[in-house]
Amino acid sequence: IESTDFQGKEKQVKVKGNEVFTASAVIIATGAGWRRLNVPGEAEYIGRGVAFCPHCDGPFYAGKEVAAAIIKLITGELKPTSGTVHVNGYSLERIRKREIPYMRRTVGVVFQDFRLIASKTVYDNVAFAMRVVGSDNKEIRERVPYVLELVGLENKSRRHPSELSGGEQQRLAIARALVNNPSTIIADEPTGNLDPARSLEIMTLLQEINNLGTTVLVVTHEMNLVEQFAKRVISIDDGLVISDGMEGC
């Protein structure tokens, strides 16, 4: 995420199954056969908002699978067989197994299906994310209310997820991803289960988080929504980057 050395070059690699390759370009397998993902120029992501549009004219799955593989590369779930992947100071092709949890603390992930703990309150869902990384009670008491206020849930800390609207549940998921102060937030289809009004609210919230200095990477197929924000947009179609700029998909 910090920087890449693609320099506009391309390289094809024949793949089997869902292996992932990087070499001068990011090579992503979306299925059997030939796939390539060319990233033109030098990519700089620090402190910027970035959106991946999984498709523009092509079938939805073509870009979505590529974007999913990119997320797995960033979070260390997939390891490149060659080339380099740099995430917040970590080189993932050389990272040691014991370092992966520390790297993942620098990346918060927001999922389309929220993945909240139904038995826990709003407060405890967020606090749980701090407890698993070893934060003490004093840190939790200071940080959780701040993050809940940031996402507009400060008055619903004692509610359970089932008592929240879809938009509020997504705000809670964002709070949980944000609470450990990661330098990067990845939002995978964060508006996929929301109506247009709530979708705009969530994207606006992510923009506000980005304005505070956190890198935000959004994977979405909602092109009309993306075009309302003056952010960098990388469009993927059939395994290829077809555009990369500020003008939308």
Side-chain angles (χ1 to χ4, degrees):
I1 284 183
E2 288 185 333
S3 65
T4 51
D5 301 314
F6 303 138
Q7 304 301 330
K9 299 177 182 177
E10 297 183 9
K11 183 176 180 180
Q12 282 188 330
V13 177
K14 193 168 186 178
V15 300
K16 296 179 180 180
N18 289 314
E19 295 176 56
V20 179
F21 296 77
T22 61
S24 297
V26 177
I27 311 299
I28 303 293
T30 61
W34 293 88
R35 290 288 187 273
R36 64 182 180 180
L37 174 60
N38 177 41
V39 181
E42 184 175 351
E44 292 286 350
Y45 294 104
I46 284 296
R48 301 184 186 180
V50 180
F52 274 97
C53 293
H55 73 101
C56 287
D57 300 316
F60 174 71
Y61 71 86
K64 177 61 177 174
E65 290 181 356
V66 170
I70 291 172
I71 291 175
K72 289 181 178 181
L73 274 174
I74 293 172
T75 59
E77 294 179 62
L78 291 176
K79 191 171 183 179
T81 57
S82 63
T84 60
V85 179
H86 299 285
V87 178
N88 298 331
Y90 292 90
S91 297
L92 298 195
E93 71 282 359
R94 297 193 303 269
I95 194 169
R96 296 176 180 176
K97 189 174 182 179
R98 66 174 180 268
E99 293 178 313
I100 292 177
Y102 297 98
M103 180 277 293
R104 287 178 177 166
R105 292 180 191 180
T106 73
V107 180
V109 182
V110 180
F111 301 97
Q112 179 180 352
D113 57 358
F114 313 141
R115 302 190 187 181
L116 303 172
I117 303 173
S119 61
K120 292 185 179 294
T121 64
V122 166
Y123 182 99
D124 287 335
N125 262 276
V126 179
F128 180 75
M130 295 189 69
R131 290 192 178 99
V132 298
V133 300
S135 299
D136 61 36
N137 289 333
K138 182 176 183 294
E139 291 175 309
I140 292 172
R141 288 195 300 269
E142 292 176 351
R143 180 70 177 171
V144 173
Y146 166 76
V147 174
L148 290 178
E149 183 178 1
L150 184 64
V151 302
L153 293 177
E154 66 272 20
N155 295 324
K156 300 193 175 183
S157 63
R158 296 185 179 181
R159 302 279 183 90
H160 285 79
S162 61
E163 300 176 276
L164 304 178
S165 68
E168 289 170 337
Q169 290 184 52
Q170 190 59 287
R171 285 175 176 269
L172 176 54
I174 292 171
R176 183 183 57 191
L178 191 61
V179 72
N180 288 318
N181 199 29
S183 55
T184 305
I185 293 285
I186 301 173
D188 185 9
E189 294 284 352
T191 61
N193 294 325
L194 306 178
D195 61 52
R198 301 291 83 77
S199 295
L200 183 60
E201 286 181 5
I202 292 300
M203 291 295 288
T204 300
L205 174 59
L206 291 170
Q207 179 175 248
E208 291 171 357
I209 292 170
N210 176 232
N211 291 340
L212 292 174
T214 301
T215 296
V216 177
L217 186 148
V218 177
V219 178
T220 182
H221 68 281
E222 298 188 52
M223 295 168 284
N224 292 335
L225 185 61
V226 169
E227 288 171 350
Q228 297 183 51
F229 297 86
K231 297 294 183 179
R232 181 181 182 182
V233 179
I234 301 172
S235 301
I236 302 172
D237 181 28
D238 195 24
L240 290 171
V241 170
I242 58 174
S243 67
D244 180 355
M246 302 291 288
E247 65 276 358
C249 298

